[in-house]
Amino acid sequence: MVGDPHPSDTQWVEGLWTAIPEPKARIRLCTGKDIRSALDEVATTLLRAPRRPAEHAVGNHAHEGPNGLDADGGPDSSQEHSRRTGPEQAGQSADPADHSSHAEHDERAAHDTHSGHAGHDMGMEVSGLPMADRGDDRDGLRLDQLHIPLGPALLDWPAGLVLRLSLQGDVIQEVRVELTRVLRCSSLPFWDEPWMRAAAGEQVTRGQAARRLCAAHLDSVGRLLAVAGWSTEAQRARAARDVALADWAASDVVAAVGPLVRRVGRSRTLRRLTYGLGELSTNAAATAGVSGPAWVAGGDVWSRLSLWLEEAAHSAALCDETRPLDTVQRRTGPRGTVGGTSPPSQALLDVLPCLLEGAEFAGARLILASLDPDIDELVPAGVAEVPHG
């Protein structure tokens, strides 16, 4: 974790640490401390940690990792989602694997890892777990209603974001968005940095902005593919992102991005998985103040993913441009208009409850990943820094 949680909001950090099975090691990185030596210290501590029997080390979580993954690190293929069957659970890597188990395990991980966030004004708790209460469903019937927190620290999740969900069966009835508090820092949001520097009067080239835009979209693509269960292409997206950030020539970035765009764009399984999820029309997005890809795409999860891929491929070819940004380009960041009265990610969070309410729980993380709000944007420069997972 990078960043300093606020002293009044550290319960989730302790809960996360408690949920990690042995052997484990924990250090605190202070400003100016050498990261390499700190990581060496972690390795040494792990090697010297006393070994305990597996059943005592992990308790009831002997077969489940911190984010609902099996001990071998792969998605649990014992459960299936009614929307589709993923080939990767049979050892194929052509398309995304089954996602329902990932979502179900996230639910359990939310109980175990973030129980400190459960039950705040959302029902009673027993042993840290929220009890179901009653509520009206969409047909007017009184059914059991379960309150579940997701976040603020999950794999492939916007670090610092907490979603409090009210579920009836597998349908989300209500969503409440919260953010963790952190201490102050003067860093600019990483993904918006070129455009914020340009707004402050610095000269930023089109190539610099295109490189950061390409990397930002590839980072978002990698997160969405990981949530969908397509780990091989998620790794390729992140590798291409690193190429873009490493200042390689535009031709190298294009060579890294091209195959990913073609492979993901041709995936019929991924298209079926994401079709109709989280529909946000252009008019609805504009009314909610949403800009950037979520507004331009004007559709579902698949539409937003397709636009990310398209813009990443286009930006990759511009990475060597030396002309300065024009007036319009200075305001167009990866998630929308930069430098307005409100950061673009705030509008994405504002519209999120409308997209999640009424959706199935198994699709919630795909919808969130297709918006991919940058929590860093919500903290003004020079005021605070949000922790990164």
Side-chain angles (χ1 to χ4, degrees), residues 155-218:
L155 289 177
D156 304 304
W157 180 270
L161 173 66
V162 179
L163 294 183
R164 300 193 182 278
L165 308 180
S166 296
L167 299 176
Q168 285 181 323
D170 63 347
V171 177
I172 301 173
Q173 298 293 333
E174 184 180 354
V175 180
R176 197 169 75 207
V177 178
E178 297 179 3
L179 300 175
T180 58
R181 299 179 62 194
V182 292
L183 296 178
R184 299 189 175 192
C185 181
S186 58
S187 300
L188 292 174
F190 177 77
W191 295 121
D192 289 342
E193 182 184 2
W195 296 271
M196 297 185 75
R197 286 171 39 220
E202 294 186 37
Q203 181 166 335
V204 176
T205 67
R206 297 185 182 186
Q208 291 173 322
R211 189 177 296 275
R212 190 65 60 91
L213 182 70
C214 177
H217 285 347
L218 291 172

Side-chain angles (χ1 to χ4, degrees), residues 33-383:
K33 186 172 183 178
D34 182 58
I35 296 179
R36 185 183 298 274
S37 62
L39 294 177
D40 290 340
E41 180 183 341
V42 171
T44 301
T45 304
L46 287 174
L47 289 174
R48 293 177 178 175
R51 301 289 175 173
R52 299 193 299 174
E55 61 270 17
H56 297 297
V58 298
N60 294 330
H61 310 283
H63 303 291
E64 184 176 318
N67 193 39
L69 297 180
D70 285 344
D72 63 359
D76 182 1
S77 60
S78 62
Q79 311 222 6
E80 297 183 355
H81 188 272
S82 60
R83 294 179 61 89
R84 87 299 174 239
T85 300
E88 193 158 324
Q89 64 184 349
Q92 303 177 38
S93 61
D95 276 346
D98 184 79
H99 172 65
S100 64
S101 58
H102 185 86
E104 284 191 30
H105 285 308
D106 280 337
E107 176 182 345
R108 277 180 278 173
H111 286 313
D112 297 335
T113 306
H114 313 293
S115 60
H117 277 283
H120 293 183
D121 302 323
M122 297 189 73
M124 300 175 59
E125 290 185 0
V126 174
S127 299
L129 298 178
M131 293 185 63
D133 55 20
R134 291 296 181 94
D136 293 333
D137 75 345
R138 51 190 172 187
D139 297 321
L141 302 175
R142 296 287 290 179
L143 300 177
D144 285 344
Q145 193 174 63
L146 184 64
H147 306 294
I148 297 176
L150 293 180
L154 294 170
L155 289 177
D156 304 304
W157 180 270
L161 173 66
V162 179
L163 294 183
R164 300 193 182 278
L165 308 180
S166 296
L167 299 176
Q168 285 181 323
D170 63 347
V171 177
I172 301 173
Q173 298 293 333
E174 184 180 354
V175 180
R176 197 169 75 207
V177 178
E178 297 179 3
L179 300 175
T180 58
R181 299 179 62 194
V182 292
L183 296 178
R184 299 189 175 192
C185 181
S186 58
S187 300
L188 292 174
F190 177 77
W191 295 121
D192 289 342
E193 182 184 2
W195 296 271
M196 297 185 75
R197 286 171 39 220
E202 294 186 37
Q203 181 166 335
V204 176
T205 67
R206 297 185 182 186
Q208 291 173 322
R211 189 177 296 275
R212 190 65 60 91
L213 182 70
C214 177
H217 285 347
L218 291 172
D219 186 70
S220 298
V221 168
R223 188 171 295 109
L224 193 154
L225 294 177
V227 170
W230 203 359
S231 57
T232 52
E233 290 309 306
Q235 292 171 1
R236 288 190 178 98
R238 287 160 176 166
R241 172 203 63 192
D242 294 343
V243 169
L245 291 176
D247 291 332
W248 288 23
S251 58
D252 295 322
V253 181
V254 170
V257 173
L260 172 76
V261 172
R262 291 190 295 271
R263 189 177 180 88
V264 175
R266 290 198 303 259
S267 172
R268 289 180 291 180
T269 302
L270 182 60
R271 186 187 295 239
R272 289 196 302 269
L273 168 65
T274 56
Y275 179 79
L277 277 180
E279 294 237 21
L280 180 65
S281 68
T282 301
N283 290 338
T287 301
V290 174
S291 56
W295 167 66
V296 176
D300 54 13
V301 171
W302 175 258
S303 300
R304 293 188 282 274
L305 172 62
S306 299
L307 185 63
W308 279 339
L309 293 170
E310 179 184 333
E311 291 191 352
H314 177 73
S315 298
L318 302 177
C319 286
D320 292 340
E321 279 275 355
T322 57
R323 292 177 295 170
L325 289 175
D326 59 31
T327 304
V328 175
Q329 292 171 330
R330 286 186 179 188
R331 294 174 53 84
T332 308
R335 288 165 177 82
T337 304
V338 176
T341 57
S342 178
S345 288
Q346 182 61 61
L348 295 177
L349 289 180
D350 290 343
V351 80
L352 182 60
C354 297
L355 300 184
L356 292 180
E357 290 172 0
E360 294 182 359
F361 179 71
R365 289 200 61 181
L366 282 171
I367 295 173
L368 173 62
S370 73
L371 297 176
D372 198 26
D374 182 7
I375 309 302
D376 272 357
E377 291 183 350
L378 309 181
V379 184
V383 175

